[in-house]
Amino acid sequence: MENVSIDQSIDARGSACPGPLMELIRAVKSSKVGTVIEVLSSERGSINDVPSWLDKVGQMLIGIEEVTSHWRIVVKKVK
Amino acid sequence: MAKKIVIVGGGTGGTIVANLLARNLRSQISGGKIVIDMITDKPYHIYQPGLLYVVFDRMQPEDIVRNQRGLVDPLVNVLIDSVLNIDRDNKKITTETGHNFNYDYLVIATGSRTVPELIPGLAEGAHTFYTLDEAKKLRDSLARFEGGKVVISVGVPHKCPVAPLEMTFMLYDYFRQKGILNKTEIYYTYPINRVHALEPVSNWAVQEFERKSIKYETFFNMERVDPDKKVVYSMEDTQVDYDLLIAIPPHKGSQVIETSGIGKDGWVPTDKVNLNNDKYEDVFVVGDTTNIPISKAGSTAHFESEVIAEIITSRISTGFSLRQYNGKVLCFIESGFDAASYIWFDYNTPPKPTAPSKMLHWMKLTYNQLYWSTVKGSL
């Protein structure tokens, strides 16, 4: 994922409410097709919640990586 | 030359910052060394959580509205006008009526607004409760409602994350008291895979839903509404029919933030602890206006306001400030007409909802009155 160019970054670390997935949904809705969005989350649940939602709405998960005390989830809006 | 502080916006955050600064800097303002100007586009101020009570005829519209000038310290100049442009590089504000303001410190408190037009059919097909007119319209519809399927559908992003749950629980009590619960179905939809963003709140709410036979669907993001067929369609390819739709529309920030090139969708990029905008150390952002990923709620604006007022005061007197915002938020959650829970959390502390009680409900009702002291900077 190091070579992926990020268009928008959401630092949702420490964000209890509305939380990383809600922030991602907001970003996906307001972005153009082709936008690559990175979400930084300190919630372990995000590594399951985000892929589940992407699967339901047909958007692309580029990858997930654990970085020290948080997770970096990279997503592409494809439709 | 007097130092100039300009506050754009007269909602909860803008008003508290103005009043705290007036209190902290009283002698310098009186001595002509500091000038504080507030520019707000509304001559009145609404206690927004009160709209929920207006819907159920438990507060009257006049209970939740005050004259803006009457809430602001007389040492603050208040101009009722719309801001057309914010020029951060030249430290200049331009208003619709042609006024220009230069500033040494700027506080952006332009808030958020609902944008139902982002979802086709929503404005025509749904009730909301985010303005006084909308709340009264919903109140009138509920008075005529004699049973059927009521859908509460939540959009992204939205302010006051607990309001949809409060609305749902209060609807339940209203239908029960009216004696039409047996011919009414309450159906709640939420954008993510639980019924509230906060897992502990969601776990509590699901138990309440099940106890009250309130149905719910998760991973439901409104895509369009057909007002003729009375159906809501989701991005996730599901659909829900309704007799009465109560929607929490998506929100955006103020248009002036976009037209001034400050932030996408009207949200201002904000440092989560110092509360300033990007590289602009003299531009502060408060309340719903920030892009900080925390609750857009009155209590957030309140706690941020205290920090911003202290930072500006210290910067003026000593040239620096040690004060930072720790992400503190505190919300009451009405769980019906006679009980409430509450939560607080910050960047390092997760929320733990307390068991609903009458005492907390009474505290919430008391706060509905105390708000006017809060916004004056007295609490």
Side-chain angles (χ1 to χ4, degrees):
Chain A
M1 287 207 295
E2 291 79 28
N3 299 326
V4 177
S5 173
I6 304 295
D7 299 308
Q8 188 178 346
S9 181
I10 302 165
D11 185 354
R13 287 174 292 181
S15 161
C17 185
L21 177 54
M22 202 89 101
E23 290 292 334
L24 174 67
I25 293 172
R26 176 179 68 81
V28 167
K29 281 186 161 191
S30 67
S31 301
K32 292 177 184 160
V33 171
T35 304
V36 176
I37 304 164
E38 164 192 75
V39 188
L40 307 180
S41 172
S42 49
E43 272 187 42
R44 174 175 282 278
S46 298
I47 64 176
N48 297 318
D49 297 352
V50 171
S52 297
W53 181 71
L54 294 172
D55 190 43
K56 271 190 172 279
V57 292
Q59 302 293 357
M60 183 194 287
L61 175 69
I62 293 179
I64 298 176
E65 65 177 341
E66 191 169 356
V67 188
T68 54
S69 59
H70 67 276
W71 287 268
R72 177 172 172 259
I73 306 168
V74 181
V75 169
K76 184 174 185 180
K77 180 168 178 171
V78 292
K79 66 173 193 178
Chain B
M1 187 104 169
K3 279 205 181 298
K4 294 183 176 176
I5 304 170
V6 175
I7 298 158
V8 178
T12 302
T15 307
I16 295 177
V17 170
N19 284 324
L20 292 177
L21 284 173
R23 189 171 70 195
N24 293 350
L25 302 168
R26 192 162 296 281
S27 61
Q28 288 124 298
I29 300 169
S30 301
K33 291 179 180 167
I34 290 173
V35 174
I36 305 179
D37 292 301
M38 168 184 276
I39 311 163
T40 178
D41 59 359
K42 292 181 188 68
Y44 56 87
H45 184 111
I46 292 187
Y47 171 55
Q48 295 179 51
L51 292 166
L52 199 61
Y53 299 84
V54 170
V55 169
F56 294 99
D57 221 6
R58 287 168 177 259
M59 287 180 92
Q60 297 307 308
E62 53 270 28
D63 295 334
I64 65 167
V65 182
R66 295 282 189 280
N67 181 298
Q68 179 66 23
R69 288 182 199 275
L71 293 175
V72 179
D73 192 294
L75 289 175
V76 176
N77 308 310
V78 178
L79 176 69
I80 309 297
D81 202 348
S82 295
V83 169
L84 280 188
N85 190 54
I86 299 171
D87 178 350
R88 293 165 297 170
D89 293 322
N90 294 302
K91 299 189 172 192
K92 186 179 168 187
I93 307 292
T94 308
T95 74
E96 196 172 69
T97 60
H99 288 85
N100 291 306
F101 291 84
N102 293 100
Y103 63 81
D104 294 288
Y105 295 99
L106 172 65
V107 180
I108 303 178
T110 43
S112 62
R113 62 197 162 102
T114 59
V115 277
E117 60 271 25
L118 292 182
I119 297 174
L122 190 68
E124 300 79 12
H127 281 281
T128 68
F129 53 96
Y130 287 86
T131 67
L132 205 44
D133 283 345
E134 289 164 351
K136 287 192 285 187
K137 202 172 147 201
L138 176 54
R139 176 195 64 189
D140 298 348
S141 290
L142 286 175
R144 293 190 299 270
F145 187 78
E146 293 299 334
K149 185 172 179 179
V150 181
V151 173
I152 301 100
S153 194
V154 182
V156 177
H158 67 93
K159 66 178 152 192
C160 191
V162 297
L165 286 176
E166 293 182 298
M167 169 57 71
T168 304
F169 294 136
M170 290 168 90
L171 280 169
Y172 176 88
D173 274 2
Y174 171 69
F175 296 138
R176 184 174 52 82
Q177 289 185 356
K178 193 173 177 179
I180 59 170
L181 199 54
N182 59 347
K183 47 182 180 173
T184 301
E185 179 185 353
I186 304 176
Y187 196 93
Y188 175 97
T189 78
Y190 203 69
I192 63 171
N193 56 336
R194 46 184 182 252
V195 302
H196 189 268
L198 297 169
E199 197 165 0
V201 175
S202 178
N203 293 341
W204 164 74
V206 161
Q207 286 178 5
E208 290 291 304
F209 280 4
E210 288 172 358
R211 193 168 64 80
K212 294 173 174 170
S213 299
I214 295 169
K215 294 180 180 163
Y216 59 92
E217 180 172 342
T218 56
F219 272 147
F220 189 100
N221 284 276
M222 287 181 283
E223 187 164 63
R224 65 187 172 91
V225 175
D226 186 329
D228 298 322
K229 290 184 182 166
K230 295 197 165 188
V231 177
V232 193
Y233 299 88
S234 77
M235 286 169 72
E236 291 81 6
D237 286 331
T238 58
Q239 62 184 68
V240 175
D241 61 324
Y242 65 87
D243 294 300
L244 180 71
L245 174 61
I246 302 172
I248 285 70
H251 285 57
K252 277 190 175 186
S254 174
Q255 188 71 44
V256 71
I257 302 303
E258 287 195 84
T259 53
S260 301
I262 297 175
K264 191 180 174 197
D265 292 336
W267 312 122
V268 180
T270 306
D271 185 285
K272 67 196 274 189
V273 294
N274 296 311
L275 301 177
N276 65 296
N277 166 223
D278 280 346
K279 62 180 181 182
Y280 299 94
E281 292 188 355
D282 45 15
V283 177
F284 295 91
V285 197
V286 64
D288 292 0
T289 314
T290 78
N291 75 337
I292 305 173
I294 55 172
S295 304
K296 295 191 182 300
S299 80
T300 311
H302 176 184
F303 296 127
E304 289 173 345
S305 299
E306 293 177 345
V307 173
I308 290 171
E310 285 169 13
I311 291 174
I312 294 175
T313 303
S314 297
R315 292 258 297 269
I316 287 173
S317 59
T318 64
F320 63 89
S321 173
L322 305 179
R323 196 74 159 90
Q324 292 191 318
Y325 176 60
N326 67 353
K328 184 180 175 187
V329 180
L330 188 156
C331 300
F332 288 99
I333 311 172
E334 289 281 27
S335 56
F337 284 158
D338 59 3
S341 173
Y342 95 105
I343 47 172
W344 79 268
F345 49 95
D346 59 31
Y347 291 141
N348 299 310
T349 315
K352 253 191 247 172
T354 57
S357 69
K358 283 185 192 297
M359 181 66 80
L360 285 168
H361 169 67
W362 294 332
M363 285 174 71
K364 169 67 177 178
L365 295 187
T366 304
Y367 185 76
N368 288 344
Q369 307 304 320
L370 286 175
Y371 172 75
W372 303 111
S373 297
T374 303
V375 87
K376 286 180 176 177
S378 306
L379 276 182

